[in-house]
Amino acid sequence: MSLQHGHGFDLEARLRERERNGLRRDLSPLDAVAGRADVAADPGCAPPEFDEECVVFGANNYLGLAGDERVAAAAAAAAEDVGTGAGASRLVVGDTVAHRSLERRLAAEKGAERALAFSSGYAANVGTIAALDPDVIFSDELNHASIVDGVRFSGADVVVYDHCDVDSLADAMARRADAASDGESWLVVTDSVFSMDGDVAPLSAICDVADEHGAWTMVDEAHATGVYDGGVVGERDLTERVDVQLGTLSKALGAQGGFVAGSEPLVEHLLNAARSFVFSTGLAPPAAAAAERALDLAPERRDDLWANVARVRDGLEAMGYDVWGDTHVLPVVVGDRDAAVALDERLREAGILAPAIRPPTVPEGTSRLRLAPQATHTDAEIDRCLAAIEEAGEEVGVL
């Protein structure tokens, strides 16, 4: 029996279902990626019209380096000197001086013997976890989707422990130890800064539990790279205890790509066994050069970032909003998904981009605005954002 064309793929029905559940999303192109931008005049997208320049409070460009002229100049110079693209897998003919220079700088930043740049943070996670090929993986329940997918691809037995709960991890490892086979390889994997809750994993205690069972520890520093000196791992002096450090170049560093840092044998293994590295065109040289320059500039922006974060948090809490976490990511939790979407829409009308985050990205009943102040936001822009959020909250009925 032959299948009819399109059998089983009613995509319009799937889209209608998303619409009914308040889960359908659309693209809203901007003409810039810095802390402020105009909505692009794309008639196919029909974006809202703003009377003035909009202010972006939902990007991961925490240090404002995506719009820094010095970072752009480094990218432009690399494009002219090396080329706009690597042209091939780095194991073929795509390995350039820009890659090697960035990797030396990343290794120094992370206190590691060596680093390896991937085309994205997602590729770094899925490729690394699968290439390590552990027998058992212990994974925080709120780990990023790229970690979750890497765990799936690995084929390992998976144990999910309660979010940032070391007792839950310890209990899970103890139970598994009772039935473990000789020589099993165990991997504990966690984000350091969680991108939706804005909290930090208890890394020292996690390392303690992992050490008790001879497990490796892998930490994804995507939202910590650049914001903290050496990431959370470096700031907490855990470099010697964390076996695998990951990060991204596309958030606080304002470029594109991902990386892994660790021992020489780790990196040698990954460049031979991580399929997302072996079978992917190398990171674009301009992105590599931009990230390296951003690493040099990051320290000068950190104080401004934390001052802006404190100002926004204090303002939101004074209004009565429930603000989670204790980092530069500020989840403003309102609970109901419709209320979160309504807040998002009213803020857009006021020229503030602060996206609503809904299930399945976050658990049911915890829909929120995800605010991410940047080091380059001015006092006037922060005042404008806070005033708009207060007015929107009163209109929607969450204040």
Side-chain angles (χ1 to χ4, degrees):
M1 181 179 70
S2 63
L3 292 176
Q4 295 179 359
H5 178 69
H7 179 74
F9 296 96
D10 189 346
L11 301 185
E12 291 185 353
R14 297 184 196 184
L15 287 170
R16 288 193 296 272
E17 180 68 15
R18 285 185 175 275
E19 192 81 50
R20 283 193 295 272
N21 293 330
L23 297 177
R24 184 166 177 173
R25 293 162 170 80
D26 292 299
L27 298 173
S28 298
L30 303 176
D31 69 351
V33 294
R36 56 205 63 84
D38 293 325
V39 173
D42 183 345
C45 297
E49 295 294 332
F50 296 146
D51 293 333
E52 53 188 310
E53 190 176 57
C54 67
V55 185
V56 182
F57 269 88
N60 296 325
N61 181 30
Y62 304 121
L63 298 175
L65 290 171
D68 190 281
E69 293 180 355
R70 296 164 293 180
V71 175
E80 180 141 347
D81 295 342
V82 184
T84 57
S89 165
R90 288 180 61 195
L91 290 172
V92 183
V93 292
D95 191 27
T96 74
V97 293
H99 296 111
R100 296 302 182 97
S101 181
L102 169 65
E103 287 167 348
R104 287 192 294 271
R105 182 67 179 82
L106 287 167
E109 177 76 12
K110 300 301 290 179
E113 290 180 355
R114 195 168 166 189
L116 186 67
F118 286 71
S119 57
S120 70
Y122 187 99
N125 261 323
V126 297
T128 297
I129 297 172
L132 288 174
D133 192 23
D135 294 307
V136 186
I137 297 176
F138 299 86
S139 179
D140 187 291
E141 67 176 330
L142 294 188
N143 275 338
H144 188 265
S146 60
I147 295 177
V148 173
D149 287 352
V151 169
R152 290 170 176 164
F153 295 161
S154 74
D157 290 343
V158 182
V159 180
V160 178
Y161 63 90
D162 296 340
H163 177 54
C164 285
D165 188 331
V166 177
D167 290 336
S168 174
L169 172 61
D171 289 345
M173 297 186 88
R175 288 193 301 271
R176 180 73 193 198
D178 291 338
S181 303
D182 290 340
E184 277 190 349
S185 55
W186 289 10
L187 178 69
V188 181
V189 59
T190 181
D191 284 297
S192 58
V193 174
F194 286 85
S195 62
M196 291 299 154
D197 281 19
D199 52 354
V200 182
L203 296 182
S204 181
I206 287 173
C207 288
D208 289 342
V209 175
D211 289 347
E212 284 181 30
H213 294 275
W216 272 30
T217 302
M218 173 175 159
V219 178
D220 184 349
E221 296 260 60
H223 292 269
T225 300
V227 174
Y228 301 85
D229 185 10
V232 176
V233 171
E235 186 180 72
R236 297 187 178 182
D237 198 24
L238 296 171
T239 302
E240 298 298 323
R241 303 186 65 194
V242 173
D243 301 280
V244 187
Q245 298 184 64
L246 284 91
T248 181
L249 313 174
S250 61
K251 295 180 173 57
L253 299 183
Q256 190 72 35
F259 68 91
V260 176
S263 67
E264 178 78 22
L266 170 68
V267 171
E268 277 294 311
H269 173 68
L270 292 179
L271 70 84
N272 282 278
R275 293 174 64 84
S276 59
F277 178 85
V278 174
F279 298 106
S280 184
T281 297
L283 179 69
E292 183 175 359
R293 185 69 178 113
L295 282 166
D296 295 333
L297 299 172
E300 72 181 43
R301 295 285 180 88
R302 290 178 187 140
D303 287 346
D304 289 338
L305 170 64
W306 291 113
N308 285 349
V309 168
R311 194 153 177 266
V312 174
R313 178 185 289 278
D314 290 347
L316 292 169
E317 290 179 341
M319 295 174 203
Y321 277 110
D322 184 15
V323 185
W324 287 10
D326 53 1
T327 67
H328 50 293
V329 176
L330 302 180
V332 183
V333 181
V334 297
D336 180 73
R337 71 176 63 182
D338 291 337
V341 171
L343 284 173
D344 180 332
E345 292 172 348
R346 281 163 175 76
L347 290 175
R348 284 176 179 270
E349 292 169 1
I352 303 294
L353 299 186
I357 307 296
R358 301 159 282 166
T361 305
V362 295
E364 287 288 351
T366 67
S367 292
R368 65 199 67 178
L369 297 180
R370 180 188 181 276
L371 292 186
Q374 297 179 23
T376 48
H377 282 141
T378 66
D379 288 346
E381 288 167 343
I382 291 173
D383 288 343
R384 177 180 165 189
C385 176
L386 291 173
I389 291 176
E390 184 171 29
E391 182 176 349
E394 291 171 349
E395 290 177 0
V396 172
V398 297
L399 285 183

